[in-house]
mmCIF file of all heavy atoms in Angstrom:
data_model
loop_
_atom_site.group_PDB
_atom_site.id
_atom_site.type_symbol
_atom_site.label_atom_id
_atom_site.label_comp_id
_atom_site.label_asym_id
_atom_site.label_seq_id
_atom_site.Cartn_x
_atom_site.Cartn_y
_atom_site.Cartn_z
ATOM 1 N N GLU A 1289 82.117 -44.847 62.451
ATOM 2 C CA GLU A 1289 82.018 -45.667 61.239
ATOM 3 C C GLU A 1289 82.473 -44.905 60.003
ATOM 4 O O GLU A 1289 83.257 -45.422 59.185
ATOM 5 C CB GLU A 1289 80.582 -46.164 61.031
ATOM 6 C CG GLU A 1289 80.174 -47.313 61.926
ATOM 7 C CD GLU A 1289 79.616 -46.850 63.254
ATOM 8 O OE1 GLU A 1289 79.674 -45.639 63.542
ATOM 9 O OE2 GLU A 1289 79.132 -47.698 64.017
ATOM 10 N N GLU A 1290 81.970 -43.688 59.838
ATOM 11 C CA GLU A 1290 82.285 -42.922 58.631
ATOM 12 C C GLU A 1290 83.761 -42.594 58.483
ATOM 13 O O GLU A 1290 84.369 -42.905 57.439
ATOM 14 C CB GLU A 1290 81.449 -41.626 58.591
ATOM 15 C CG GLU A 1290 80.046 -41.806 58.050
ATOM 16 C CD GLU A 1290 79.044 -42.299 59.085
ATOM 17 O OE1 GLU A 1290 79.473 -42.680 60.201
ATOM 18 O OE2 GLU A 1290 77.842 -42.302 58.793
ATOM 19 N N PRO A 1291 84.392 -41.953 59.473
ATOM 20 C CA PRO A 1291 85.802 -41.602 59.278
ATOM 21 C C PRO A 1291 86.713 -42.813 59.125
ATOM 22 O O PRO A 1291 87.680 -42.762 58.359
ATOM 23 C CB PRO A 1291 86.151 -40.796 60.542
ATOM 24 C CG PRO A 1291 85.117 -41.157 61.538
ATOM 25 C CD PRO A 1291 83.878 -41.419 60.749
ATOM 26 N N LEU A 1292 86.403 -43.908 59.809
ATOM 27 C CA LEU A 1292 87.270 -45.079 59.692
ATOM 28 C C LEU A 1292 87.092 -45.759 58.334
ATOM 29 O O LEU A 1292 88.068 -46.193 57.721
ATOM 30 C CB LEU A 1292 87.002 -46.074 60.814
ATOM 31 C CG LEU A 1292 87.941 -47.279 60.831
ATOM 32 C CD1 LEU A 1292 89.401 -46.836 60.928
ATOM 33 C CD2 LEU A 1292 87.607 -48.234 61.962
ATOM 34 N N THR A 1293 85.859 -45.852 57.847
ATOM 35 C CA THR A 1293 85.651 -46.434 56.522
ATOM 36 C C THR A 1293 86.364 -45.594 55.468
ATOM 37 O O THR A 1293 87.021 -46.133 54.555
ATOM 38 C CB THR A 1293 84.156 -46.517 56.189
ATOM 39 O OG1 THR A 1293 83.462 -47.161 57.249
ATOM 40 C CG2 THR A 1293 83.922 -47.296 54.902
ATOM 41 N N ASN A 1294 86.274 -44.277 55.612
ATOM 42 C CA ASN A 1294 86.964 -43.377 54.689
ATOM 43 C C ASN A 1294 88.476 -43.594 54.746
ATOM 44 O O ASN A 1294 89.155 -43.650 53.710
ATOM 45 C CB ASN A 1294 86.619 -41.936 55.044
ATOM 46 C CG ASN A 1294 87.199 -40.934 54.076
ATOM 47 O OD1 ASN A 1294 86.980 -41.016 52.871
ATOM 48 N ND2 ASN A 1294 87.937 -39.964 54.601
ATOM 49 N N LEU A 1295 89.007 -43.747 55.954
ATOM 50 C CA LEU A 1295 90.440 -43.991 56.128
ATOM 51 C C LEU A 1295 90.864 -45.308 55.475
ATOM 52 O O LEU A 1295 91.912 -45.388 54.821
ATOM 53 C CB LEU A 1295 90.767 -43.993 57.617
ATOM 54 C CG LEU A 1295 92.212 -44.204 58.075
ATOM 55 C CD1 LEU A 1295 92.432 -43.535 59.425
ATOM 56 C CD2 LEU A 1295 92.587 -45.677 58.172
ATOM 57 N N MET A 1296 90.048 -46.343 55.632
ATOM 58 C CA MET A 1296 90.425 -47.671 55.140
ATOM 59 C C MET A 1296 90.434 -47.763 53.620
ATOM 60 O O MET A 1296 91.026 -48.705 53.065
ATOM 61 C CB MET A 1296 89.497 -48.731 55.730
ATOM 62 C CG MET A 1296 89.649 -48.895 57.246
ATOM 63 S SD MET A 1296 91.325 -49.321 57.789
ATOM 64 C CE MET A 1296 91.221 -51.108 57.809
ATOM 65 N N THR A 1297 89.826 -46.803 52.931
ATOM 66 C CA THR A 1297 89.916 -46.818 51.467
ATOM 67 C C THR A 1297 91.357 -46.628 50.997
ATOM 68 O O THR A 1297 91.695 -46.967 49.857
ATOM 69 C CB THR A 1297 89.034 -45.721 50.842
ATOM 70 O OG1 THR A 1297 89.470 -44.430 51.298
ATOM 71 C CG2 THR A 1297 87.566 -45.925 51.191
ATOM 72 N N GLU A 1298 92.220 -46.094 51.874
ATOM 73 C CA GLU A 1298 93.628 -45.918 51.525
ATOM 74 C C GLU A 1298 94.458 -47.182 51.747
ATOM 75 O O GLU A 1298 95.574 -47.288 51.249
ATOM 76 C CB GLU A 1298 94.228 -44.772 52.344
ATOM 77 C CG GLU A 1298 93.591 -43.412 52.075
ATOM 78 C CD GLU A 1298 94.341 -42.299 52.790
ATOM 79 O OE1 GLU A 1298 95.549 -42.477 53.064
ATOM 80 O OE2 GLU A 1298 93.706 -41.258 53.079
ATOM 81 N N PHE A 1299 93.903 -48.148 52.499
ATOM 82 C CA PHE A 1299 94.705 -49.301 52.903
ATOM 83 C C PHE A 1299 94.132 -50.651 52.458
ATOM 84 O O PHE A 1299 94.829 -51.660 52.512
ATOM 85 C CB PHE A 1299 94.869 -49.299 54.428
ATOM 86 C CG PHE A 1299 95.579 -48.079 54.943
ATOM 87 C CD1 PHE A 1299 94.868 -47.004 55.465
ATOM 88 C CD2 PHE A 1299 96.966 -47.980 54.877
ATOM 89 C CE1 PHE A 1299 95.518 -45.871 55.928
ATOM 90 C CE2 PHE A 1299 97.624 -46.853 55.336
ATOM 91 C CZ PHE A 1299 96.907 -45.791 55.851
ATOM 92 N N ILE A 1300 92.878 -50.677 52.048
ATOM 93 C CA ILE A 1300 92.268 -51.934 51.602
ATOM 94 C C ILE A 1300 92.022 -51.853 50.101
ATOM 95 O O ILE A 1300 91.232 -51.018 49.635
ATOM 96 C CB ILE A 1300 90.947 -52.215 52.343
ATOM 97 C CG1 ILE A 1300 91.214 -52.457 53.833
ATOM 98 C CG2 ILE A 1300 90.226 -53.423 51.728
ATOM 99 C CD1 ILE A 1300 89.965 -52.635 54.661
ATOM 100 N N HIS A 1301 92.703 -52.724 49.355
ATOM 101 C CA HIS A 1301 92.544 -52.755 47.901
ATOM 102 C C HIS A 1301 92.399 -54.181 47.377
ATOM 103 O O HIS A 1301 91.702 -54.424 46.404
ATOM 104 C CB HIS A 1301 93.739 -52.084 47.217
ATOM 105 C CG HIS A 1301 93.996 -50.695 47.704
ATOM 106 N ND1 HIS A 1301 93.162 -49.642 47.418
ATOM 107 C CD2 HIS A 1301 94.997 -50.185 48.485
ATOM 108 C CE1 HIS A 1301 93.637 -48.542 47.992
ATOM 109 N NE2 HIS A 1301 94.750 -48.849 48.640
ATOM 110 N N SER A 1302 93.060 -55.114 48.048
ATOM 111 C CA SER A 1302 93.116 -56.496 47.588
ATOM 112 C C SER A 1302 92.596 -57.437 48.674
ATOM 113 O O SER A 1302 92.545 -57.074 49.864
ATOM 114 C CB SER A 1302 94.561 -56.864 47.238
ATOM 115 O OG SER A 1302 94.755 -58.256 47.180
ATOM 116 N N TYR A 1303 92.225 -58.646 48.272
ATOM 117 C CA TYR A 1303 91.822 -59.669 49.244
ATOM 118 C C TYR A 1303 92.955 -59.963 50.216
ATOM 119 O O TYR A 1303 92.720 -60.426 51.347
ATOM 120 C CB TYR A 1303 91.388 -60.953 48.517
ATOM 121 C CG TYR A 1303 92.489 -61.719 47.841
ATOM 122 C CD1 TYR A 1303 93.176 -62.742 48.493
ATOM 123 C CD2 TYR A 1303 92.880 -61.425 46.523
ATOM 124 C CE1 TYR A 1303 94.205 -63.441 47.874
ATOM 125 C CE2 TYR A 1303 93.903 -62.114 45.898
ATOM 126 C CZ TYR A 1303 94.561 -63.125 46.579
ATOM 127 O OH TYR A 1303 95.571 -63.824 45.964
ATOM 128 N N LYS A 1304 94.185 -59.670 49.820
ATOM 129 C CA LYS A 1304 95.330 -59.883 50.701
ATOM 130 C C LYS A 1304 95.357 -58.885 51.864
ATOM 131 O O LYS A 1304 96.069 -59.094 52.846
ATOM 132 C CB LYS A 1304 96.628 -59.777 49.902
ATOM 133 C CG LYS A 1304 96.781 -60.869 48.839
ATOM 134 C CD LYS A 1304 98.072 -60.698 48.062
ATOM 135 C CE LYS A 1304 98.235 -61.774 46.979
ATOM 136 N NZ LYS A 1304 99.476 -61.602 46.204
ATOM 137 N N ASP A 1305 94.596 -57.791 51.731
ATOM 138 C CA ASP A 1305 94.544 -56.780 52.791
ATOM 139 C C ASP A 1305 93.492 -57.102 53.850
ATOM 140 O O ASP A 1305 93.347 -56.349 54.823
ATOM 141 C CB ASP A 1305 94.239 -55.406 52.185
ATOM 142 C CG ASP A 1305 95.275 -54.964 51.172
ATOM 143 O OD1 ASP A 1305 96.463 -55.247 51.401
ATOM 144 O OD2 ASP A 1305 94.882 -54.345 50.161
ATOM 145 N N LEU A 1306 92.759 -58.183 53.656
ATOM 146 C CA LEU A 1306 91.650 -58.536 54.532
ATOM 147 C C LEU A 1306 91.834 -59.934 55.119
ATOM 148 O O LEU A 1306 92.527 -60.764 54.525
ATOM 149 C CB LEU A 1306 90.333 -58.470 53.744
ATOM 150 C CG LEU A 1306 89.924 -57.083 53.248
ATOM 151 C CD1 LEU A 1306 88.797 -57.188 52.242
ATOM 152 C CD2 LEU A 1306 89.505 -56.209 54.428
ATOM 153 N N PRO A 1307 91.229 -60.191 56.287
ATOM 154 C CA PRO A 1307 90.392 -59.302 57.084
ATOM 155 C C PRO A 1307 91.231 -58.304 57.879
ATOM 156 O O PRO A 1307 92.439 -58.499 58.063
ATOM 157 C CB PRO A 1307 89.658 -60.258 58.013
ATOM 158 C CG PRO A 1307 90.640 -61.384 58.223
ATOM 159 C CD PRO A 1307 91.322 -61.545 56.892
ATOM 160 N N ALA A 1308 90.579 -57.257 58.357
ATOM 161 C CA ALA A 1308 91.235 -56.258 59.200
ATOM 162 C C ALA A 1308 90.303 -55.922 60.357
ATOM 163 O O ALA A 1308 89.096 -55.757 60.165
ATOM 164 C CB ALA A 1308 91.564 -55.007 58.393
ATOM 165 N N TYR A 1309 90.883 -55.839 61.559
ATOM 166 C CA TYR A 1309 90.102 -55.537 62.764
ATOM 167 C C TYR A 1309 90.826 -54.430 63.521
ATOM 168 O O TYR A 1309 91.953 -54.632 63.988
ATOM 169 C CB TYR A 1309 89.971 -56.781 63.650
ATOM 170 C CG TYR A 1309 89.573 -58.026 62.892
ATOM 171 C CD1 TYR A 1309 90.404 -59.150 62.877
ATOM 172 C CD2 TYR A 1309 88.381 -58.084 62.170
ATOM 173 C CE1 TYR A 1309 90.054 -60.297 62.195
ATOM 174 C CE2 TYR A 1309 88.020 -59.220 61.479
ATOM 175 C CZ TYR A 1309 88.858 -60.326 61.483
ATOM 176 O OH TYR A 1309 88.506 -61.451 60.782
ATOM 177 N N VAL A 1310 90.215 -53.275 63.615
ATOM 178 C CA VAL A 1310 90.853 -52.141 64.288
ATOM 179 C C VAL A 1310 89.925 -51.586 65.353
ATOM 180 O O VAL A 1310 88.705 -51.627 65.216
ATOM 181 C CB VAL A 1310 91.250 -51.036 63.290
ATOM 182 C CG1 VAL A 1310 92.320 -51.533 62.334
ATOM 183 C CG2 VAL A 1310 90.049 -50.544 62.500
ATOM 184 N N TYR A 1311 90.528 -51.084 66.427
ATOM 185 C CA TYR A 1311 89.702 -50.552 67.519
ATOM 186 C C TYR A 1311 90.419 -49.382 68.170
ATOM 187 O O TYR A 1311 91.614 -49.146 67.964
ATOM 188 C CB TYR A 1311 89.407 -51.637 68.547
ATOM 189 C CG TYR A 1311 90.579 -52.028 69.430
ATOM 190 C CD1 TYR A 1311 90.750 -51.465 70.696
ATOM 191 C CD2 TYR A 1311 91.522 -52.969 69.001
ATOM 192 C CE1 TYR A 1311 91.807 -51.833 71.505
ATOM 193 C CE2 TYR A 1311 92.585 -53.341 69.804
ATOM 194 C CZ TYR A 1311 92.730 -52.763 71.063
ATOM 195 O OH TYR A 1311 93.793 -53.117 71.867
ATOM 196 N N GLN A 1312 89.664 -48.671 68.994
ATOM 197 C CA GLN A 1312 90.213 -47.519 69.706
ATOM 198 C C GLN A 1312 89.478 -47.330 71.028
ATOM 199 O O GLN A 1312 88.384 -47.853 71.238
ATOM 200 C CB GLN A 1312 90.047 -46.249 68.864
ATOM 201 C CG GLN A 1312 88.587 -45.905 68.605
ATOM 202 C CD GLN A 1312 88.400 -44.569 67.913
ATOM 203 O OE1 GLN A 1312 89.278 -43.706 67.897
ATOM 204 N NE2 GLN A 1312 87.228 -44.361 67.337
ATOM 205 N N PHE A 1313 90.106 -46.572 71.928
ATOM 206 C CA PHE A 1313 89.437 -46.003 73.090
ATOM 207 C C PHE A 1313 89.383 -44.503 72.814
ATOM 208 O O PHE A 1313 90.428 -43.844 72.752
ATOM 209 C CB PHE A 1313 90.216 -46.293 74.375
ATOM 210 C CG PHE A 1313 90.216 -47.742 74.776
ATOM 211 C CD1 PHE A 1313 91.231 -48.589 74.353
ATOM 212 C CD2 PHE A 1313 89.197 -48.255 75.563
ATOM 213 C CE1 PHE A 1313 91.232 -49.932 74.719
ATOM 214 C CE2 PHE A 1313 89.190 -49.595 75.925
ATOM 215 C CZ PHE A 1313 90.214 -50.431 75.509
ATOM 216 N N GLN A 1314 88.205 -43.988 72.630
ATOM 217 C CA GLN A 1314 88.065 -42.617 72.160
ATOM 218 C C GLN A 1314 86.905 -41.936 72.874
ATOM 219 O O GLN A 1314 85.891 -42.565 73.156
ATOM 220 C CB GLN A 1314 87.826 -42.620 70.645
ATOM 221 C CG GLN A 1314 87.477 -41.299 70.002
ATOM 222 C CD GLN A 1314 88.582 -40.278 70.111
ATOM 223 O OE1 GLN A 1314 88.720 -39.642 71.152
ATOM 224 N NE2 GLN A 1314 89.370 -40.107 69.065
ATOM 225 N N THR A 1315 87.076 -40.661 73.177
ATOM 226 C CA THR A 1315 86.000 -39.895 73.783
ATOM 227 C C THR A 1315 84.928 -39.593 72.743
ATOM 228 O O THR A 1315 85.233 -39.113 71.651
ATOM 229 C CB THR A 1315 86.531 -38.588 74.382
ATOM 230 O OG1 THR A 1315 87.544 -38.900 75.344
ATOM 231 C CG2 THR A 1315 85.426 -37.807 75.057
ATOM 232 N N LYS A 1316 83.690 -39.892 73.103
ATOM 233 C CA LYS A 1316 82.550 -39.600 72.244
ATOM 234 C C LYS A 1316 81.727 -38.479 72.877
ATOM 235 O O LYS A 1316 81.735 -38.292 74.102
ATOM 236 C CB LYS A 1316 81.668 -40.848 72.067
ATOM 237 C CG LYS A 1316 82.397 -42.051 71.471
ATOM 238 C CD LYS A 1316 82.746 -41.846 70.004
ATOM 239 C CE LYS A 1316 83.115 -43.143 69.312
ATOM 240 N NZ LYS A 1316 84.420 -43.693 69.709
ATOM 241 N N PHE A 1317 81.013 -37.765 72.026
ATOM 242 C CA PHE A 1317 80.187 -36.650 72.484
ATOM 243 C C PHE A 1317 78.782 -36.819 71.922
ATOM 244 O O PHE A 1317 78.618 -36.961 70.706
ATOM 245 C CB PHE A 1317 80.782 -35.317 72.024
ATOM 246 C CG PHE A 1317 82.161 -35.064 72.550
ATOM 247 C CD1 PHE A 1317 83.282 -35.524 71.860
ATOM 248 C CD2 PHE A 1317 82.363 -34.366 73.731
ATOM 249 C CE1 PHE A 1317 84.563 -35.301 72.338
ATOM 250 C CE2 PHE A 1317 83.642 -34.142 74.217
ATOM 251 C CZ PHE A 1317 84.751 -34.607 73.515
ATOM 252 N N ARG A 1318 77.792 -36.803 72.795
ATOM 253 C CA ARG A 1318 76.406 -36.908 72.357
ATOM 254 C C ARG A 1318 75.562 -35.889 73.110
ATOM 255 O O ARG A 1318 75.557 -35.868 74.341
ATOM 256 C CB ARG A 1318 75.874 -38.334 72.557
ATOM 257 C CG ARG A 1318 76.618 -39.339 71.672
ATOM 258 C CD ARG A 1318 76.126 -40.760 71.825
ATOM 259 N NE ARG A 1318 76.946 -41.666 71.011
ATOM 260 C CZ ARG A 1318 76.851 -42.982 71.015
ATOM 261 N NH1 ARG A 1318 75.946 -43.569 71.791
ATOM 262 N NH2 ARG A 1318 77.638 -43.719 70.247
ATOM 263 N N ASN A 1319 74.884 -35.058 72.346
ATOM 264 C CA ASN A 1319 74.112 -33.959 72.919
ATOM 265 C C ASN A 1319 72.756 -34.468 73.400
ATOM 266 O O ASN A 1319 71.708 -34.149 72.835
ATOM 267 C CB ASN A 1319 73.946 -32.855 71.874
ATOM 268 C CG ASN A 1319 73.463 -31.545 72.473
ATOM 269 O OD1 ASN A 1319 73.294 -31.434 73.679
ATOM 270 N ND2 ASN A 1319 73.237 -30.564 71.624
ATOM 271 N N GLU A 1320 72.818 -35.281 74.466
ATOM 272 C CA GLU A 1320 71.603 -35.860 75.029
ATOM 273 C C GLU A 1320 70.721 -34.753 75.609
ATOM 274 O O GLU A 1320 71.208 -33.826 76.261
ATOM 275 C CB GLU A 1320 71.955 -36.860 76.139
ATOM 276 C CG GLU A 1320 72.879 -37.991 75.712
ATOM 277 C CD GLU A 1320 72.153 -39.080 74.949
ATOM 278 O OE1 GLU A 1320 70.916 -38.968 74.759
ATOM 279 O OE2 GLU A 1320 72.825 -40.046 74.547
ATOM 280 N N LYS A 1321 69.423 -34.876 75.381
ATOM 281 C CA LYS A 1321 68.497 -33.874 75.925
ATOM 282 C C LYS A 1321 68.501 -33.892 77.439
ATOM 283 O O LYS A 1321 68.363 -32.858 78.084
ATOM 284 C CB LYS A 1321 67.093 -34.128 75.390
ATOM 285 C CG LYS A 1321 66.950 -33.839 73.900
ATOM 286 C CD LYS A 1321 65.524 -34.066 73.427
ATOM 287 C CE LYS A 1321 65.402 -33.755 71.930
ATOM 288 N NZ LYS A 1321 64.029 -33.996 71.421
ATOM 289 N N ARG A 1322 68.637 -35.096 78.003
ATOM 290 C CA ARG A 1322 68.658 -35.210 79.459
ATOM 291 C C ARG A 1322 69.685 -36.249 79.871
ATOM 292 O O ARG A 1322 69.480 -37.445 79.679
ATOM 293 C CB ARG A 1322 67.279 -35.606 79.988
ATOM 294 C CG ARG A 1322 67.217 -35.723 81.509
ATOM 295 C CD ARG A 1322 65.785 -35.885 81.987
ATOM 296 N NE ARG A 1322 65.749 -36.110 83.428
ATOM 297 C CZ ARG A 1322 65.641 -37.313 83.982
ATOM 298 N NH1 ARG A 1322 65.541 -38.381 83.206
ATOM 299 N NH2 ARG A 1322 65.612 -37.452 85.289
ATOM 300 N N ALA A 1323 70.822 -35.778 80.363
ATOM 301 C CA ALA A 1323 71.849 -36.696 80.848
ATOM 302 C C ALA A 1323 71.402 -37.258 82.194
ATOM 303 O O ALA A 1323 70.957 -36.515 83.065
ATOM 304 C CB ALA A 1323 73.179 -35.965 80.988
ATOM 305 N N LYS A 1324 71.488 -38.565 82.348
ATOM 306 C CA LYS A 1324 71.019 -39.182 83.587
ATOM 307 C C LYS A 1324 71.805 -40.467 83.832
ATOM 308 O O LYS A 1324 72.700 -40.812 83.071
ATOM 309 C CB LYS A 1324 69.524 -39.491 83.494
ATOM 310 C CG LYS A 1324 69.141 -40.355 82.304
ATOM 311 C CD LYS A 1324 67.636 -40.570 82.243
ATOM 312 C CE LYS A 1324 67.268 -41.440 81.041
ATOM 313 N NZ LYS A 1324 65.829 -41.691 80.969
ATOM 314 N N SER A 1325 71.479 -41.132 84.912
ATOM 315 C CA SER A 1325 72.094 -42.413 85.267
ATOM 316 C C SER A 1325 73.576 -42.301 85.571
ATOM 317 O O SER A 1325 74.335 -43.264 85.391
ATOM 318 C CB SER A 1325 71.856 -43.450 84.155
ATOM 319 O OG SER A 1325 70.474 -43.620 83.908
ATOM 320 N N GLY A 1326 74.038 -41.133 86.035
ATOM 321 C CA GLY A 1326 75.433 -40.982 86.422
ATOM 322 C C GLY A 1326 76.367 -41.225 85.257
ATOM 323 O O GLY A 1326 76.148 -40.718 84.149
ATOM 324 N N ILE A 1327 77.414 -42.038 85.485
ATOM 325 C CA ILE A 1327 78.390 -42.279 84.413
ATOM 326 C C ILE A 1327 77.910 -43.335 83.420
ATOM 327 O O ILE A 1327 78.631 -43.675 82.482
ATOM 328 C CB ILE A 1327 79.768 -42.684 84.973
ATOM 329 C CG1 ILE A 1327 79.699 -43.969 85.801
ATOM 330 C CG2 ILE A 1327 80.355 -41.551 85.799
ATOM 331 C CD1 ILE A 1327 81.066 -44.493 86.223
#
C-alpha cells in the first residue's frame, strides 16, 4: 500500500486521471513466528 500510494502521487493529479486499478504478482516476506500449513 505505502510504496504504491507514494508512486501514484506522480501520476494522479486530476479527476481525468481516475479511476485507476493496478495490480502485481509479487513475492512477499513475512517473519512469521511459526510457519505452518505447508504452502
Side-chain angles (χ1 to χ4, degrees):
E1289 283 88 353
E1290 277 83 351
L1292 185 57
T1293 309
N1294 185 55
L1295 181 153
M1296 294 302 268
T1297 61
E1298 297 187 25
F1299 299 99
I1300 294 175
H1301 306 290
S1302 162
Y1303 70 92
K1304 296 179 181 179
D1305 300 323
L1306 295 167
Y1309 313 120
V1310 295
Y1311 73 96
Q1312 63 173 341
F1313 291 92
Q1314 172 64 279
T1315 302
K1316 302 290 196 288
F1317 299 88
R1318 295 180 184 174
N1319 194 3
E1320 303 282 359
K1321 291 182 179 179
R1322 181 170 175 262
K1324 55 182 180 179
S1325 303
I1327 60 173

